[in-house]
Every structure is written in C-alpha cells, then in structure tokens.
Amino acid sequence: MTTQAPKPNPPSSPLDLPSIEKGKKLTGAEREDFATKVVAAYRTPDRKVTIREICETTNRSYGAIHSLLSEAGATKRGRRRTVASGPVAQ
C-alpha cells in the first residue's frame, strides 16, 4: 500500500492587507478597520489563508492576529495534518 504525498497548496496570491509599522499600536477605528480586513482575509472561501500568512503580510505577531480574530468572533480552524504526520497523541 502506498501513500500519496499531500497536494501542494495552490500558488498564493498576495493578500490585500496593510503592512503595519513594527511596534505601532493600533487603537480605535484604525484597529477596527484592520480587524475587519484580517477577518475577511482569514475567511476567504476559495483559499484557506493561515494566521502565519497574515502575520507575514501585516508585520504583526501571531499572538496579535490570533487575538484580533478571537475578539472579532472568528472561528479558528484546526491545525492542518497530513497522513505522514502520524496519529495524534492522547
């Protein structure tokens, strides 16, 4: 029995998200606008954008993007697993 390698993700298209200056604190309307754009990108139906991809595009940390998604009530997806990664430890 042979296992197939997972299919590579389709070529990534650039995300339409602003790049935020490192260390800049977002507050008020600016933060709300940014959160709306991040949630829209994360929920893109034809492509599963990861939190890490959003981080790279926006220059924000994983924790900052994760918090924004949580505050906005976005349902986060589970980790991607491949057949080669083996069983889950319980």
Side-chain angles (χ1 to χ4, degrees):
M1 182 164 103
T2 61
T3 58
Q4 293 180 346
K7 294 180 181 177
N9 290 337
S12 59
S13 59
L15 299 175
D16 187 26
L17 293 171
S19 179
I20 307 296
E21 183 180 328
K22 206 168 193 118
K24 181 178 180 187
K25 185 170 176 102
L26 297 177
T27 58
E30 187 179 26
R31 181 178 170 86
E32 289 176 23
D33 182 52
F34 181 69
T36 301
K37 291 176 183 177
V38 166
V39 170
Y42 188 70
R43 290 182 174 163
T44 302
D46 57 332
R47 178 171 176 245
K48 291 195 175 176
V49 176
T50 65
I51 294 176
R52 295 207 187 277
E53 288 175 300
I54 294 171
C55 295
E56 289 173 15
T57 303
T58 61
N59 290 325
R60 305 307 277 180
S61 69
Y62 184 95
I65 298 301
H66 190 275
S67 294
L68 269 178
L69 291 170
S70 294
E71 290 168 16
T75 303
K76 287 174 278 313
R77 298 183 294 269
R79 294 180 180 206
R80 293 183 189 171
R81 288 197 40 206
T82 62
V83 176
S85 65
V88 176
Q90 292 185 356

